[in-house]
Amino acid sequence: MATWIISDTTPGSGPRVAVKDLIDMAELPTTAGSRPVADSALPAMRDAACVAGLRAAMRAGLARFAGKVNLHEVAYGISGINLAFGTPVNPLDPRRMPGGSSSGSATAVASGEADISYGTDTGGSIRIPAACCGVAGLKTTWGRISLDGVRPLSPGLDTVGPMARDVAGVAAGMALLEPGFTVAADPPRTVGLLAIDADPRVSAAIDAALRTAEFEVVPVALPGLDQVIAASIIMLDAQAWQSNADLFATSASRLGADVSDRLAMASGITAAQVTAAEAVIAGWRATLDALWHRVDLLAAPSLLSFPPLLEEAHILWKLRALTSPVNTAGVPSLALPIPVVGPRPGPIPANVQLIGPRNSEERLLAAGAVLESAVRR
């Protein structure tokens, strides 16, 4: 299925945990889903810092390492299509893309081959595959989970987070990433609903889910969102070029064409463009800081519509909406599958992201549990 880079059969009990092959595991190479990276990769000398909780649970027989999973090459893409190691198959509809860059992380839990997976999210790389594969995923607050031992894409935006089939699994994954983590006992009740031009089926699903959960829903408009999205992508691309310039210099012809082309484009981003983007993002952060005085959380689509067919990868770029701006704000976001309203909903559910202030993961998951329970009744 092209999900697994290295599979494992660690004995014990507890959840089976898959790890995105961007994260170092001692004695295993980190390939980043890239042939030129894999060809020169040596076994890691030590685990990434974020793996410490998993290792401790494994030693206690309370968790199992399921293996390392595939991804969009060097984590620089959102389709999940990988020509070097194969594209992980979307278990809900094999004709459709799995989403990226944490494609293997999403398909591992969606297929039932893992209970929890670790992904990374730089511009939507947990939330987009969660939406494509009908699972839950948490993009954590920037800086909350150590990135030591995680191959960088855009260091000022990169985050590590858990994915699972439900909120309880995400919470269990978070407790492995951050031992002692617990879900808050007091769920937020006031949710801002972002006004955005999405597929009517997705908008109706989000509206119905929030109201079924009996949240107090406050309409929210965020002017200038197109400029914020563009500025966020400039920041991501500029940092991605810095992280991969050496790889591009030595191996451009061996990279996937999509990654090579995107890096070539990113190499031309100017200092003036970055400075202008930073000014837009500063205003965006101030807008969100003010918003948290009005609402506890912000609800928005994880994708504006449903995942396109594999041969229509270009369409996915138009559906990403409010993913990269969450990374430039540095705030957490929980992506959750929700049912489509109406007849013949299809195999892939809609997906909502609940966005909260910095370091609000405990309350974000509490709200997610309320929403999940409501829509499953």
Side-chain angles (χ1 to χ4, degrees):
M1 289 175 58
T3 293
W4 300 95
I5 297 291
I6 298 170
S7 60
D8 196 82
T9 54
T10 302
S13 59
R16 300 161 297 159
V17 182
V19 177
K20 185 176 183 177
D21 199 23
L22 208 66
I23 300 170
D24 285 349
M25 298 282 288
E27 302 181 1
L28 297 176
T30 300
T31 75
S34 174
R35 183 57 63 190
V37 174
D39 286 349
S40 61
L42 298 174
M45 297 295 292
R46 59 187 178 90
D47 289 334
C50 64
V51 177
L54 171 60
R55 286 292 192 195
M58 289 166 59
R59 287 192 295 270
L62 300 176
R64 293 167 284 171
F65 173 50
K68 298 192 82 175
V69 286
N70 201 2
L71 60 147
H72 199 112
E73 187 172 13
V74 298
Y76 199 30
I78 62 172
S79 72
I81 294 171
N82 186 310
L83 299 181
F85 290 96
T87 299
V89 175
N90 187 331
L92 298 186
D93 186 344
R95 302 171 304 155
R96 299 187 182 276
M97 57 190 62
S101 64
S102 302
S103 49
S105 301
T107 59
V109 296
S111 65
E113 295 179 277
D115 303 303
I116 296 166
S117 61
Y118 293 169
T120 64
D121 192 312
T122 303
S125 286
I126 285 174
R127 290 158 289 155
I128 290 171
C132 289
C133 296
V135 300
L138 177 64
K139 182 267 176 212
T140 53
T141 299
W142 184 82
R144 179 159 183 165
I145 305 298
S146 173
L147 295 172
D148 181 32
V150 180
R151 191 181 194 278
L153 176 63
S154 301
L157 306 173
D158 294 343
T159 59
V160 172
M163 304 179 74
R165 287 184 293 280
D166 54 25
V167 174
V170 171
M174 192 64 189
L176 290 173
L177 286 168
E178 186 180 280
F181 178 89
T182 57
V183 177
D186 56 332
R189 298 307 313 173
T190 304
V191 178
L193 178 57
L194 180 66
I196 194 165
D197 186 16
D199 186 315
R201 295 169 296 172
V202 172
S203 297
I206 293 174
D207 185 71
L210 294 176
R211 297 190 186 282
T212 299
E214 298 182 346
F215 287 114
E216 179 187 350
V217 178
V218 178
V220 170
L222 296 175
L225 196 54
D226 287 346
Q227 289 78 12
V228 174
I229 293 169
S232 298
I233 293 173
I234 285 173
M235 294 301 298
L236 191 160
D237 287 341
Q239 293 182 30
W241 169 249
Q242 294 298 318
S243 296
N244 290 286
D246 290 346
L247 178 65
F248 184 82
T250 60
S251 307
S253 64
R254 299 182 62 211
L255 296 170
D258 62 327
V259 172
S260 181
D261 290 349
R262 192 174 175 192
L263 284 171
M265 179 278 300
S267 71
I269 294 173
T270 66
Q273 286 177 294
V274 172
T275 299
E278 288 173 337
V280 173
I281 290 164
W284 163 240
R285 290 172 177 165
T287 296
L288 283 184
D289 287 343
L291 180 64
W292 306 135
H293 295 293
R294 296 173 48 206
V295 299
D296 298 318
L297 304 174
L298 178 66
S302 299
L303 282 177
L304 295 179
S305 190
F306 300 93
L309 298 172
L310 287 164
E311 60 268 25
E312 298 174 332
H314 62 284
I315 295 176
L316 194 58
W317 288 96
K318 301 175 183 178
L319 305 180
R320 61 189 301 179
L322 199 68
T323 52
S324 289
V326 172
N327 294 81
T328 51
V331 298
S333 176
L334 174 65
L336 280 179
I338 53 174
V340 176
V341 178
R344 302 192 318 187
I348 299 177
N351 197 289
V352 62
Q353 55 172 331
L354 300 178
I355 304 161
R358 289 173 180 268
N359 295 308
S360 64
E361 282 87 340
E362 292 85 352
R363 300 193 74 216
L364 203 56
L365 287 174
V370 169
L371 183 62
E372 182 180 79
S373 175
V375 299
R376 289 183 173 185
R377 286 202 291 264

Short mmCIF file of all heavy atoms in Angstrom, two decimals, residues 130-131 133-137 164-167 209 302 335-339 348-352 371-372 375-376:
data_model
loop_
_atom_site.label_atom_id
_atom_site.label_comp_id
_atom_site.label_asym_id
_atom_site.label_seq_id
_atom_site.Cartn_x
_atom_site.Cartn_y
_atom_site.Cartn_z
N ALA A 130 -5.71 14.32 7.15
CA ALA A 130 -6.82 13.92 8.03
C ALA A 130 -8.14 14.11 7.30
O ALA A 130 -9.03 13.24 7.34
CB ALA A 130 -6.80 14.72 9.33
N ALA A 131 -8.29 15.25 6.61
CA ALA A 131 -9.52 15.51 5.87
C ALA A 131 -9.68 14.56 4.70
O ALA A 131 -10.78 14.10 4.39
CB ALA A 131 -9.52 16.96 5.38
N CYS A 133 -8.55 11.47 4.44
CA CYS A 133 -8.70 10.07 4.84
C CYS A 133 -9.72 9.86 5.95
O CYS A 133 -9.88 8.74 6.44
CB CYS A 133 -7.34 9.51 5.29
SG CYS A 133 -6.11 9.46 3.97
N GLY A 134 -10.43 10.91 6.36
CA GLY A 134 -11.50 10.76 7.33
C GLY A 134 -11.05 10.45 8.74
O GLY A 134 -11.72 9.70 9.46
N VAL A 135 -9.90 11.01 9.17
CA VAL A 135 -9.41 10.77 10.52
C VAL A 135 -9.24 12.10 11.25
O VAL A 135 -9.51 13.17 10.71
CB VAL A 135 -8.08 9.98 10.50
CG1 VAL A 135 -8.28 8.63 9.82
CG2 VAL A 135 -6.96 10.77 9.81
N ALA A 136 -8.78 12.01 12.48
CA ALA A 136 -8.55 13.20 13.31
C ALA A 136 -7.06 13.47 13.41
O ALA A 136 -6.25 12.54 13.38
CB ALA A 136 -9.15 13.00 14.70
N GLY A 137 -6.68 14.72 13.53
CA GLY A 137 -5.28 15.07 13.67
C GLY A 137 -5.12 16.40 14.37
O GLY A 137 -5.94 17.31 14.20
N ALA A 164 -5.13 10.06 14.72
CA ALA A 164 -5.82 8.85 15.16
C ALA A 164 -7.20 8.84 14.54
O ALA A 164 -7.60 9.79 13.87
CB ALA A 164 -5.91 8.79 16.68
N ARG A 165 -7.95 7.77 14.78
CA ARG A 165 -9.29 7.69 14.19
C ARG A 165 -10.30 8.53 14.95
O ARG A 165 -11.38 8.82 14.43
CB ARG A 165 -9.73 6.23 14.13
CG ARG A 165 -9.01 5.44 13.05
CD ARG A 165 -9.52 4.01 12.92
NE ARG A 165 -9.22 3.20 14.09
CZ ARG A 165 -8.05 2.64 14.33
NH1 ARG A 165 -7.04 2.82 13.49
NH2 ARG A 165 -7.85 1.90 15.40
N ASP A 166 -9.99 8.89 16.20
CA ASP A 166 -10.94 9.67 16.99
C ASP A 166 -10.19 10.55 17.98
O ASP A 166 -8.95 10.49 18.08
CB ASP A 166 -11.94 8.75 17.71
CG ASP A 166 -11.26 7.68 18.56
OD1 ASP A 166 -10.11 7.88 18.99
OD2 ASP A 166 -11.90 6.64 18.80
N VAL A 167 -10.95 11.36 18.72
CA VAL A 167 -10.34 12.31 19.66
C VAL A 167 -9.61 11.58 20.78
O VAL A 167 -8.54 12.01 21.22
CB VAL A 167 -11.41 13.26 20.22
CG1 VAL A 167 -10.84 14.15 21.31
CG2 VAL A 167 -12.00 14.12 19.10
N ALA A 209 -22.91 20.30 12.63
CA ALA A 209 -22.15 19.66 13.71
C ALA A 209 -22.03 20.59 14.91
O ALA A 209 -22.23 20.16 16.06
CB ALA A 209 -20.77 19.27 13.21
N SER A 302 -11.26 22.14 7.16
CA SER A 302 -9.87 21.69 6.97
C SER A 302 -9.52 21.73 5.49
O SER A 302 -8.39 22.05 5.11
CB SER A 302 -9.69 20.28 7.52
OG SER A 302 -9.97 20.24 8.91
N ALA A 335 -8.18 18.84 13.64
CA ALA A 335 -8.99 18.46 12.49
C ALA A 335 -9.83 17.24 12.85
O ALA A 335 -9.30 16.26 13.37
CB ALA A 335 -8.10 18.14 11.29
N LEU A 336 -11.13 17.31 12.57
CA LEU A 336 -12.05 16.24 12.95
C LEU A 336 -12.99 15.90 11.80
O LEU A 336 -13.55 16.81 11.15
CB LEU A 336 -12.93 16.68 14.13
CG LEU A 336 -12.35 16.63 15.54
CD1 LEU A 336 -13.40 17.13 16.52
CD2 LEU A 336 -11.93 15.22 15.89
N PRO A 337 -13.23 14.61 11.54
CA PRO A 337 -14.23 14.25 10.54
C PRO A 337 -15.64 14.47 11.09
O PRO A 337 -15.90 14.23 12.28
CB PRO A 337 -13.96 12.76 10.31
CG PRO A 337 -13.33 12.28 11.58
CD PRO A 337 -12.55 13.44 12.12
N ILE A 338 -16.52 14.94 10.24
CA ILE A 338 -17.92 15.16 10.62
C ILE A 338 -18.81 14.68 9.48
O ILE A 338 -18.41 14.71 8.31
CB ILE A 338 -18.21 16.65 10.94
CG1 ILE A 338 -17.76 17.55 9.79
CG2 ILE A 338 -17.56 17.07 12.25
CD1 ILE A 338 -18.14 19.00 9.95
N PRO A 339 -20.02 14.23 9.80
CA PRO A 339 -20.87 13.67 8.75
C PRO A 339 -21.38 14.73 7.78
O PRO A 339 -21.63 15.87 8.16
CB PRO A 339 -22.03 13.04 9.53
CG PRO A 339 -22.02 13.73 10.86
CD PRO A 339 -20.61 14.11 11.14
N ILE A 348 -16.25 9.67 1.96
CA ILE A 348 -15.36 10.55 2.69
C ILE A 348 -16.16 11.62 3.41
O ILE A 348 -16.93 12.36 2.78
CB ILE A 348 -14.33 11.20 1.74
CG1 ILE A 348 -13.47 10.09 1.10
CG2 ILE A 348 -13.45 12.19 2.49
CD1 ILE A 348 -12.47 10.58 0.09
N PRO A 349 -16.01 11.72 4.74
CA PRO A 349 -16.77 12.74 5.48
C PRO A 349 -16.21 14.13 5.23
O PRO A 349 -15.12 14.30 4.65
CB PRO A 349 -16.56 12.31 6.94
CG PRO A 349 -15.25 11.61 6.94
CD PRO A 349 -15.16 10.90 5.61
N ALA A 350 -16.94 15.13 5.66
CA ALA A 350 -16.39 16.48 5.73
C ALA A 350 -15.42 16.53 6.91
O ALA A 350 -15.33 15.58 7.71
CB ALA A 350 -17.51 17.50 5.90
N ASN A 351 -14.68 17.62 7.03
CA ASN A 351 -13.72 17.73 8.12
C ASN A 351 -13.65 19.18 8.57
O ASN A 351 -13.58 20.09 7.73
CB ASN A 351 -12.34 17.24 7.66
CG ASN A 351 -11.40 16.95 8.82
OD1 ASN A 351 -10.94 17.85 9.50
ND2 ASN A 351 -11.12 15.66 9.04
N VAL A 352 -13.71 19.39 9.86
CA VAL A 352 -13.64 20.73 10.43
C VAL A 352 -12.36 20.87 11.23
O VAL A 352 -11.91 19.92 11.87
CB VAL A 352 -14.87 21.01 11.33
CG1 VAL A 352 -14.93 20.04 12.51
CG2 VAL A 352 -14.87 22.46 11.83
N LEU A 371 -17.88 17.66 20.37
CA LEU A 371 -18.38 17.67 18.99
C LEU A 371 -18.49 16.25 18.45
O LEU A 371 -19.51 15.87 17.87
CB LEU A 371 -17.43 18.49 18.12
CG LEU A 371 -17.82 18.68 16.66
CD1 LEU A 371 -19.14 19.43 16.54
CD2 LEU A 371 -16.73 19.42 15.89
N GLU A 372 -17.46 15.45 18.67
CA GLU A 372 -17.47 14.07 18.18
C GLU A 372 -18.61 13.28 18.78
O GLU A 372 -19.31 12.54 18.09
CB GLU A 372 -16.13 13.43 18.52
CG GLU A 372 -15.95 12.02 18.04
CD GLU A 372 -14.58 11.48 18.43
OE1 GLU A 372 -14.42 11.09 19.61
OE2 GLU A 372 -13.69 11.47 17.58
N VAL A 375 -22.06 14.33 17.14
CA VAL A 375 -22.36 13.92 15.77
C VAL A 375 -22.45 12.41 15.64
O VAL A 375 -22.98 11.89 14.64
CB VAL A 375 -21.31 14.48 14.78
CG1 VAL A 375 -21.31 15.99 14.81
CG2 VAL A 375 -19.92 13.92 15.05
N ARG A 376 -21.95 11.67 16.63
CA ARG A 376 -22.04 10.22 16.57
C ARG A 376 -23.30 9.67 17.23
O ARG A 376 -23.55 8.47 17.16
CB ARG A 376 -20.81 9.60 17.24
CG ARG A 376 -19.53 9.77 16.44
CD ARG A 376 -18.35 9.07 17.10
NE ARG A 376 -17.16 9.09 16.25
CZ ARG A 376 -16.03 8.48 16.55
NH1 ARG A 376 -15.91 7.81 17.67
NH2 ARG A 376 -15.00 8.55 15.71
#
